[in-house]
Amino acid sequence: MLVSGSEILLKAHKEGYGVGAFNFVNFEMLNAIFNAALEANSPIIVQASEGAIKYMGIDMAVGLVQILSKRYPQIPVALNLDHGTSFESCKKAIDAGFTSVMIDASHHPFEENVAMTKEVVQYAHSKGVSVEAELGRLMGIEDNISVDEKDAVLVNPDEAEEFVKETKVDYLAPAIGTSHGAFKFKGEPKLDFARLQEVKRRTNIPLVLHGASAIPQYVREAFLATGGDLKGSKGVPFEFLQEAVKGGINKVNTDTDLRIAFMAEVRRVANEDPTQFDLRKFFAPGMQAMQKVMVERMQVLGSAGKA
């Protein structure tokens, strides 16, 4: 059942669990997401970035989600625009059928971020669509980062409180020390949980963790065993994800883990049988690998059984 992002996340906010927000770029990824939700009996948020929309076409992205949401009406699902860069981009997604949009103006000065977000919120809410925004810069916290540098990079709780009051945004992604992609931390993983808890107390809305792929050991090993190279990457450990949920995170973005798991299986099939060219022989194991990752994530975040 296709619903707004708020319908899913307000329940998670009230009951204290996290919901996986999984990116997709094709049918295989999306099908695996829905199958994982069905297996775990979990609500889901499916996400398409501007790049994914350019690759698929916005009509295809929305159409696939609508078809699968009708196929599995027992699963609450929201379709989110991930990292929309402008009002025009968000409006296009809303008009096409997205039920949630993220306006990412976090790289702009605070006042400009507020203004851009308010414009998107006003239009989105008039259409029954939920809005996500971001504060702070997404980059890992290192051992040698100074207090001043840390404050310059991470979310300011005072600003978070003011931002939510001014914009009426539905959920907020506060930068607390993660980064996008596989290469999140040079040293040991660190997240500022105290800062997260203060933002939650000040805003009292669903919060979002970006850059939350964990790169589980079995996924890493499968990728490396088939000739892949992750260059010593480190994801966010499961215990950190669970601590983040305890601190107020309700939406947990995941993309890199799915790509790595899928490609490990594609490489394996190619390596084991160089004569193979039936795409189904590559994609079916890839979908199963992604599904395993997501079911495990739903269990870690506490959304399993919440559909």
Side-chain angles (χ1 to χ4, degrees), residues 266-278 281-282:
V266 171
R267 288 174 183 269
R268 180 187 63 77
V269 174
N271 291 342
E272 291 179 357
D273 186 2
T275 69
Q276 185 58 255
F277 53 82
D278 183 343
K281 301 294 185 182
F282 294 90

Side-chain angles (χ1 to χ4, degrees), residues 181-185 187-189 213-238 256-265 267 289 292-293 296-297:
F183 314 108
K184 301 182 186 302
F185 309 101
E188 288 303 308
S213 284
I215 318 179
Q217 187 61 28
Y218 68 90
V219 173
R220 178 191 302 276
E221 290 174 355
F223 189 77
L224 297 179
T226 57
D229 183 4
L230 293 175
K231 302 184 186 300
S233 61
K234 294 181 180 180
V236 182
F238 284 165
T256 300
D257 284 345
L258 308 188
R259 300 183 189 201
I260 295 173
F262 183 85
M263 286 308 302
E265 287 303 297
R267 288 174 183 269
K292 178 181 178 181
V293 168
E296 179 181 56
R297 198 62 43 87

Side-chain angles (χ1 to χ4, degrees), residues 86-114:
S86 65
F87 171 80
E88 291 73 21
S89 177
C90 291
K91 181 180 184 299
K92 184 178 179 181
I94 293 164
D95 293 344
F98 279 65
T99 62
S100 173
V101 294
M102 180 199 177
I103 175 64
D104 185 2
S106 59
H107 53 290
H108 292 297
F110 179 79
E111 293 78 11
E112 191 172 345
N113 190 353
V114 168

